[in-house]
Amino acid sequence: MNIAIVTGASSGLGAEIVRQLAEGAFGPLDQIWAVSRRAEKTGPLVRPFALDLTDPASFDVLEEALDKTPDARVALLVNNAGFGTFGDFAAMPPEDNANMVRLLMLAPVELTYRALPHMSAGSRILNVSSVAAFMPQPGLATYSAAKRFVLDLSRALDAELGPVGIHVTALCPKFMRTGFLDHAGADDLAARMAGLTGFEDVRRVARLGLRATRAGRALCIPSADMRAFYAAAKLLPYPLVLNLERALMRP
Ligand SMILES: NC(=O)c1ccc[n+]([C@@H]2O[C@H](COP(=O)([O-])OP(=O)(O)OC[C@H]3O[C@@H](n4cnc5c(N)ncnc54)[C@H](OP(=O)(O)O)[C@@H]3O)[C@@H](O)[C@H]2O)c1
């Protein structure tokens, strides 16, 4: 049985990925496991899992479900669930930094580890990172560091697993109009950052991300301006890029 597991499937990018998978964007699938705290059956292939991925018990639930499914083969794992809180590190709501670490870093690690025994040549992992991963971001310190972790983990795992035919793709979108911006306390800073980079279309990000995943590409940066930013952030000294970014963002 070919299964795709998509976390953060209840809204935004994850919901769009589930929709495109149901339409055949990754080839034939028998089931799509849609994981998020709010979960509902959105189509005949969809098996909803109402789970909070900041709770380690949720990883056991998914592992047990895989073990109990006859001939379960994870064709695709999409680690997408996430939120980001903007603002000064010290002024964050008490739970937010720890929950970002749990959801953005621990959940992909655990789910990858538990899905791998059910994967085989041709299986894929799509990890949703962000352009925030390209350099440390004051005002988004934990989030950007966590997304860097996702980017580096994905690229290392892709090299490690490539020889057995399993590929890992890091997807780095810029701002999209999703629930993410509601949650982020997306007042001044988020609005200015979005004004600086513009928004990209969720459907296009999902389409390009799934295409890159099928092709076994390690990195997908959907927008051209962010591909240029990625190159600049690697070449130029960090203080210079940071000052440039701050100057551009000045109200
Ligand atoms: N939108 C952007 O501007 C942007 C840019 C770059 C990268 N990203 C990344 O894209 C990914 C998808 O975000 P989005 O933009 O689609 O935002 P979104 O619409 O807010 O979707 C986030 C998803 O994550 C799920 N989620 C949140 N906390 C969870 C938890 N504790 N346990 C399980 N599921 C949880 C949410 O479902 P429930 O609330 O039902 O649990 C929801 O389905 C995230 O990793 C985000 O960091 C977003």
Side-chain angles (χ1 to χ4, degrees):
M1 170 172 308
N2 272 319
I3 298 167
I5 303 174
V6 182
T7 72
S10 62
S11 70
L13 182 60
E16 181 57 26
I17 287 173
V18 169
R19 202 183 61 74
Q20 294 190 17
L21 289 177
E23 287 175 358
F26 195 74
L29 290 167
D30 298 300
Q31 286 188 354
I32 302 168
W33 291 10
V35 184
S36 42
R37 290 167 301 182
R38 298 162 289 163
E40 53 180 303
K41 189 159 174 65
T42 52
L45 294 185
V46 174
R47 178 174 170 188
F49 284 83
L51 295 172
D52 183 341
L53 291 173
T54 62
D55 177 358
S58 299
F59 312 136
D60 298 336
V61 172
L62 288 168
E63 187 177 27
E64 278 165 28
L66 281 173
D67 289 342
K68 281 187 186 152
T69 304
D71 299 325
R73 174 179 181 266
V74 179
L76 174 67
L77 168 64
V78 182
N79 287 305
N80 164 75
F83 75 93
T85 305
F86 289 70
D88 291 341
F89 181 86
M92 288 275 154
E95 276 303 292
D96 279 24
N97 278 306
N99 277 339
M100 275 188 275
V101 168
R102 292 185 187 107
L103 185 62
L104 300 175
M105 303 203 304
L106 184 60
V109 166
E110 285 286 352
L111 293 181
T112 300
Y113 189 69
R114 291 158 193 253
L116 270 174
H118 297 275
M119 291 185 156
S120 57
S123 292
R124 297 284 185 265
I125 300 169
L126 172 59
N127 288 332
V128 179
S129 176
S130 164
V131 299
F134 296 167
M135 61 175 233
Q137 301 276 344
L140 260 183
T142 304
Y143 180 79
S144 62
K147 290 299 187 182
R148 183 76 208 186
F149 173 89
V150 172
L151 176 59
D152 287 355
L153 177 76
S154 305
R155 303 190 84 183
L157 281 183
D158 183 61
E160 207 176 299
L161 296 169
V164 295
I166 299 172
H167 285 285
V168 184
T169 302
L171 173 63
C172 299
K174 61 179 182 183
F175 277 108
M176 301 172 288
R177 292 183 202 276
T178 63
F180 178 84
L181 288 182
D182 305 336
H183 187 100
D187 35 26
D188 200 29
L189 180 63
R192 267 185 284 143
M193 283 174 80
L196 176 64
T197 69
F199 289 97
E200 60 187 331
D201 180 58
V202 181
R203 279 165 302 181
R204 182 173 174 275
V205 171
R207 193 174 67 246
L208 295 182
L210 287 172
R211 190 186 296 167
T213 302
R214 279 193 89 165
R217 281 175 34 218
L219 179 62
C220 175
I221 305 171
S223 67
D225 55 347
M226 289 298 124
R227 286 196 289 278
F229 174 53
Y230 179 62
K234 279 198 298 187
L235 289 174
L236 301 173
Y238 171 60
L240 180 69
V241 186
L242 182 65
N243 285 336
L244 213 76
E245 190 184 69
R246 287 189 156 170
L248 286 168
M249 276 171 49
R250 205 159 288 141

